[in-house]
Coordinates of all heavy atoms in Angstrom, one line a residue:
I249 N 35.7 40.4 -18.4 CA 36.2 40.1 -17.1 C 37.7 40.4 -17.0 O 38.2 41.0 -16.0 CB 35.9 38.6 -16.7 CG1 34.4 38.5 -16.4 CG2 36.8 38.2 -15.6 CD1 34.0 37.1 -16.1
R250 N 38.5 40.0 -18.0 CA 39.9 40.2 -17.9 C 40.3 41.7 -17.9 O 41.2 42.1 -17.2 CB 40.6 39.4 -19.0 CG 40.6 37.9 -18.7 CD 41.3 37.1 -19.8 NE 40.4 36.7 -20.9 CZ 39.6 35.7 -20.9 NH1 39.5 34.9 -19.8 NH2 38.9 35.4 -21.9
L251 N 39.6 42.4 -18.8 CA 39.8 43.9 -18.8 C 39.5 44.5 -17.5 O 40.3 45.3 -17.0 CB 39.0 44.5 -19.9 CG 39.1 46.0 -20.1 CD1 40.5 46.4 -20.5 CD2 38.0 46.5 -21.1
R252 N 38.3 44.2 -16.9 CA 37.9 44.8 -15.6 C 38.8 44.4 -14.5 O 39.1 45.1 -13.6 CB 36.4 44.5 -15.4 CG 35.5 45.1 -16.4 CD 35.6 46.6 -16.4 NE 35.0 47.2 -15.2 CZ 35.3 48.4 -14.8 NH1 36.1 49.2 -15.5 NH2 34.7 48.9 -13.7
L253 N 39.2 43.1 -14.5 CA 40.1 42.6 -13.4 C 41.3 43.5 -13.4 O 41.8 43.9 -12.3 CB 40.5 41.2 -13.7 CG 39.5 40.1 -13.2 CD1 40.0 38.7 -13.7 CD2 39.4 40.0 -11.7
R254 N 41.9 43.7 -14.6 CA 43.2 44.5 -14.6 C 42.9 45.9 -14.2 O 43.7 46.5 -13.4 CB 43.8 44.4 -16.0 CG 45.1 45.1 -16.1 CD 45.8 44.9 -17.4 NE 47.1 45.6 -17.4 CZ 48.2 45.0 -16.9 NH1 48.2 43.8 -16.4 NH2 49.4 45.7 -16.8
E255 N 41.8 46.5 -14.7 CA 41.6 47.9 -14.4 C 41.3 48.1 -12.9 O 41.9 49.0 -12.2 CB 40.3 48.4 -15.1 CG 40.6 48.6 -16.6 CD 39.3 49.0 -17.3 OE1 38.2 49.0 -16.7 OE2 39.4 49.4 -18.5
L256 N 40.5 47.2 -12.3 CA 40.2 47.4 -10.9 C 41.4 47.1 -10.0 O 41.6 47.8 -9.0 CB 39.0 46.4 -10.5 CG 37.6 46.8 -11.0 CD1 36.6 45.7 -10.8 CD2 37.1 48.1 -10.4
A257 N 42.1 46.0 -10.3 CA 43.2 45.7 -9.5 C 44.3 46.8 -9.5 O 44.8 47.2 -8.5 CB 43.9 44.4 -10.0
T258 N 44.5 47.4 -10.7 CA 45.5 48.5 -10.8 C 45.0 49.6 -10.0 O 45.9 50.2 -9.3 CB 45.6 48.9 -12.3 OG1 46.1 47.7 -13.1 CG2 46.6 50.0 -12.5
R259 N 43.8 50.0 -10.1 CA 43.3 51.1 -9.3 C 43.4 50.9 -7.8 O 43.9 51.8 -7.1 CB 41.8 51.4 -9.7 CG 41.2 52.6 -8.9 CD 39.7 52.5 -8.8 NE 39.0 52.3 -10.0 CZ 37.7 52.0 -10.1 NH1 37.0 51.9 -9.0 NH2 37.2 51.8 -11.3
Y260 N 43.0 49.8 -7.3 CA 43.1 49.6 -5.9 C 44.5 49.4 -5.4 O 44.9 49.8 -4.3 CB 42.2 48.4 -5.5 CG 40.7 48.7 -5.5 CD1 39.9 48.2 -6.5 CD2 40.2 49.5 -4.5 CE1 38.5 48.5 -6.4 CE2 38.8 49.8 -4.4 CZ 38.0 49.3 -5.4 OH 36.7 49.6 -5.4
L261 N 45.4 48.8 -6.2 CA 46.8 48.7 -5.8 C 47.4 50.1 -5.7 O 48.2 50.4 -4.8 CB 47.5 47.8 -6.9 CG 47.2 46.3 -6.8 CD1 47.7 45.7 -8.1 CD2 47.9 45.7 -5.6
Q262 N 47.1 51.0 -6.6 CA 47.6 52.3 -6.6 C 47.1 53.1 -5.4 O 47.8 54.0 -4.9 CB 47.2 53.1 -7.9 CG 48.0 52.6 -9.1 CD 47.5 53.2 -10.4 OE1 46.4 53.8 -10.4 NE2 48.3 53.0 -11.5
E263 N 45.9 52.7 -4.9 CA 45.4 53.4 -3.7 C 45.9 52.7 -2.4 O 45.5 53.1 -1.3 CB 43.8 53.3 -3.7 CG 43.2 54.1 -4.9 CD 41.7 54.0 -5.0 OE1 41.1 53.3 -4.1 OE2 41.1 54.6 -5.9
G264 N 46.8 51.8 -2.5 CA 47.4 51.2 -1.3 C 46.7 50.0 -0.8 O 47.1 49.5 0.3
Y265 N 45.7 49.4 -1.5 CA 45.0 48.2 -1.1 C 45.9 47.0 -1.3 O 46.7 46.9 -2.3 CB 43.7 48.0 -1.8 CG 42.6 48.9 -1.4 CD1 42.6 50.3 -1.7 CD2 41.5 48.4 -0.7 CE1 41.5 51.1 -1.4 CE2 40.4 49.2 -0.3 CZ 40.5 50.5 -0.6 OH 39.4 51.3 -0.3
R266 N 45.8 46.0 -0.5 CA 46.4 44.7 -0.7 C 45.3 43.9 -1.4 O 44.3 43.6 -0.8 CB 46.8 44.0 0.6 CG 47.9 44.8 1.3 CD 48.1 44.3 2.8 NE 46.9 44.7 3.6 CZ 46.7 44.4 4.8 NH1 47.6 43.7 5.5 NH2 45.6 44.8 5.5
V267 N 45.6 43.5 -2.7 CA 44.6 43.0 -3.6 C 44.9 41.5 -3.9 O 46.0 41.2 -4.2 CB 44.5 43.8 -4.9 CG1 43.5 43.2 -5.8 CG2 44.1 45.2 -4.6
G268 N 43.8 40.7 -3.9 CA 43.9 39.3 -4.3 C 43.0 39.1 -5.5 O 42.0 39.7 -5.6
L269 N 43.4 38.2 -6.4 CA 42.6 37.8 -7.6 C 42.3 36.3 -7.6 O 43.2 35.5 -7.4 CB 43.4 38.2 -8.8 CG 43.9 39.6 -9.0 CD1 44.7 39.8 -10.2 CD2 42.7 40.6 -9.0

Side-chain angles (χ1 to χ4, degrees):
I249 283 176
R250 286 182 273 277
L251 178 64
R252 296 300 289 161
L253 275 172
R254 184 172 183 85
E255 289 178 350
L256 287 171
T258 299
R259 180 203 307 171
Y260 283 107
L261 286 165
Q262 290 173 346
E263 293 177 3
Y265 284 73
R266 293 165 296 177
V267 177
L269 303 176

